[in-house]
Each structure stands twice: as structure tokens, then as C-alpha cells.
Amino acid sequence: MRLTKLLERVLSAIPVAIGVAVLAFMFLRFLPGDPVEIMLGETQVTQQQIDSLRNQLNLDKPLITQLALFLAGVLRGDLGVSFVKNAPVVKLIADTLPATIELTMATVLVAILIALPVGIISALRAGSTLDRSVLSGALVGVSMPAFWFGLLLILLFAVEFRLFPTSGRIAATMVVDRTTGFMLIDTLLAKDLRAFGVALKHLVLPAITLGVVFAAVLARVIRASMLEVLSKDFVTTARAKGLREWSVIIKHALRNALIPALTVTGLQFGELLGGNMIVETIFAWPGLGRLVVSSIFARDYVVVQAAVMLYALTYVAANLVVDALYTLLNPRISL
């Protein structure tokens, strides 16, 4: 029964992704600017050359025909060819997505390492000076734009103290064979610990930039959930049985308090995969977000359409994983 419901949820993601792609397709066509003129730039070209390129890209066809061609390609697994880079969109996404996933995983790790102990301690000392300091710090973190915080980190730790690099995934002088696309894994597979250290240093600043902002949100959620759970009867009963305080907090209270935190983490995971475009651009991180930003400016419709559809699938998948984790934390919850 559970497998059937899981399959239904997976299949329901398909029309959602296609619907989002159709909306992206339509809205992109109403943006000002002609991709053909942007591609040709300031060079001297004839109208015949412009018409020929527009025909080659199917931009001279009616809008409904372009949409039909796009949807037919999606059903075949063909997302088209980039107008600007003249490369299959699937390949461009496959080349850039691992960098974004790597940054997202590092960001979530940073956020959990900060938010989990801070949220628990703040809840245990509710009303204290420490608790008020945590709430004030979380408010600052939530209000702080990630791109502004990233620039501060670059100025302080990269320019002033020269502890970390300012941009990229690895030093330009280092060449690492691309096996998985994940730089940390590829350097380990190559048994190059020096390259691994350099890649890790490149990851630190962008991960902290996104992680601190996420941690501010997550810490507040964990604190609120812990405060609610600590007042429940089963926690009082556990303490009355003489269990150690850490056992009551970790095994009983925290497990039940993690459900709201999981919801926030799942939504944030989807947002990080699709919404860290500005931070990737600031740190010149060669991920999917940076590819989308450059494609938007170049009016590279096919790349943006495919990326938007991928983002929609990411959100759906993240929510599905979170729902599955709910059942592990609380078996009474069903999909």
C-alpha cells in the first residue's frame, strides 16, 4: 500500500513539471529582447542571415508550434540545444548540476551543525540571556541578504586575511579528472589530497554564506518545536522514570521536534538547488544557478525552460523525501 502511494506521488510530479515548463516557455517569450540579435551582437549581418538563424532555431514558427516541438522533445528526453553554447541542454545541466548539489549538501551540513545545538540549547534555557541572544542573532540572519553576507566574507576572509579563495571550485593550475562531477569525490578518487584540500577551501565561503542564513531559520524552528515537545506528558513521564537528561532530550524530545525542522529543511533544499543563483554568480561557482543567470541575460530560452522544469521536480522530490522521513520519525504518519 505504501509503495503504491509512493508511486502515485512520483507520477504526480510529471504533470507538475510539465505545467511549470509550459508557463516558463510562455513567459520567456514575452521578455524584451530577441535571442537572435543578442547572439549576433554588434556584427554587421544581413537580414537574410538573421532570418536563416531564426529559422534554424525555430523562432520563426508560430508560438503554439514552438510549444508543441518543445513538449515533444521533453517526452523524448530531448530538452533541446542551447542557442548560445550550441550544446545539448542535457549535457549543460549534467556538467553544472553536480557543482550545485555539492554546494547544497555543504550548505545543509553547515546549517544543521549550527542550528541543531543552538536551537536545543536555546529551548532548554528559554527566557535566559542566551535565549534572547539566539533569537536576536536568528532575526539578523533571516533579515540578512545572502549576497551581501557573501561579499562581506570575501572582503574579510579572502581579500583581507587571504585564508580562502574568492571564486571557483578549484585552483586554475590544478587538473582533476572528471569522474563523478563532484569535485571533492573526484579528488579523493584521484588520491590527490592536496587538490582535495584546495577544493574544500573553495567550498567553505559559499557554503557558509548560504548555510548561516539557512541556520537562522532552522534554529528558530527547532527552538519552537523543542519548547512545545518539552511540555508534553511523555517527556515528563520519561524524566519521572529517572532517565538521564540527555536521553530525555535526544531520544524522546528531539525526535518528535524534528518533524517541523524536516519540513523546513526539505523546502530549503529545493530552494538551494534552484535559488542560489546570485551566490553562485558572486563566487563564480560553476553550477546550474550561474548557468541559468547567464542564459537569462542571453535569452537562451531552451536552457531556462529546462532548468525551471528541473527546479519544479526538485521541489516535488524534496517534499516526497520529507514525507517519507516523517513515517520513519513517527510511524503513525502515512504518505
Side-chain angles (χ1 to χ4, degrees), residues 15-68:
V16 171
I18 294 177
V20 170
V22 170
L23 289 176
F25 177 92
M26 300 301 294
F27 284 132
L28 284 171
R29 265 49 181 190
F30 295 117
L31 287 177
D34 187 343
V36 173
E37 294 179 0
I38 294 174
M39 290 171 64
L40 295 175
E42 301 295 332
T43 57
Q44 295 293 329
V45 293
T46 64
Q47 185 62 42
Q48 183 178 1
Q49 290 174 310
I50 294 176
D51 294 339
S52 176
L53 182 58
R54 185 170 282 112
N55 176 262
Q56 181 182 344
L57 300 176
N58 293 322
L59 295 176
D60 60 335
K61 294 179 173 56
L63 194 60
I64 191 65
T65 303
Q66 295 182 45
L67 178 59

Side-chain angles (χ1 to χ4, degrees), residues 13-201:
I14 298 176
V16 171
I18 294 177
V20 170
V22 170
L23 289 176
F25 177 92
M26 300 301 294
F27 284 132
L28 284 171
R29 265 49 181 190
F30 295 117
L31 287 177
D34 187 343
V36 173
E37 294 179 0
I38 294 174
M39 290 171 64
L40 295 175
E42 301 295 332
T43 57
Q44 295 293 329
V45 293
T46 64
Q47 185 62 42
Q48 183 178 1
Q49 290 174 310
I50 294 176
D51 294 339
S52 176
L53 182 58
R54 185 170 282 112
N55 176 262
Q56 181 182 344
L57 300 176
N58 293 322
L59 295 176
D60 60 335
K61 294 179 173 56
L63 194 60
I64 191 65
T65 303
Q66 295 182 45
L67 178 59
L69 291 172
F70 167 66
L71 293 177
V74 169
L75 294 176
R76 295 194 308 269
D78 179 13
L79 299 178
V81 177
S82 168
F83 296 164
V84 177
K85 300 181 182 295
N86 196 29
V89 175
V90 172
K91 183 180 184 304
L92 293 176
I93 292 177
D95 289 342
T96 55
L97 187 58
T100 296
I101 294 176
E102 192 171 54
L103 177 57
T104 299
M105 297 297 291
T107 298
V108 172
L109 179 61
V110 169
I112 291 175
L113 290 177
I114 296 173
L116 196 59
V118 168
I120 294 173
I121 294 172
S122 180
L124 293 176
R125 300 187 180 181
S128 65
T129 302
L130 175 62
D131 182 37
R132 289 193 292 269
S133 300
V134 168
L135 290 176
S136 300
L139 181 60
V140 172
V142 172
S143 307
M144 180 173 55
F147 68 88
W148 176 79
F149 184 53
L151 290 174
L152 287 184
L153 292 181
I154 290 174
L155 291 174
L156 184 60
F157 294 104
V159 177
E160 186 68 24
F161 296 126
R162 299 176 183 268
L163 296 176
F164 299 101
T166 58
S167 60
R169 294 183 76 189
I170 199 169
T173 56
M174 290 185 170
V175 178
V176 179
D177 292 335
R178 182 185 175 92
T179 304
T180 65
F182 298 94
M183 189 62 68
L184 296 182
I185 296 177
D186 288 345
T187 52
L188 289 177
L189 291 176
K191 299 180 180 179
D192 191 340
L193 294 181
R194 181 170 174 268
F196 175 82
V198 173
L200 188 61
K201 289 181 69 175

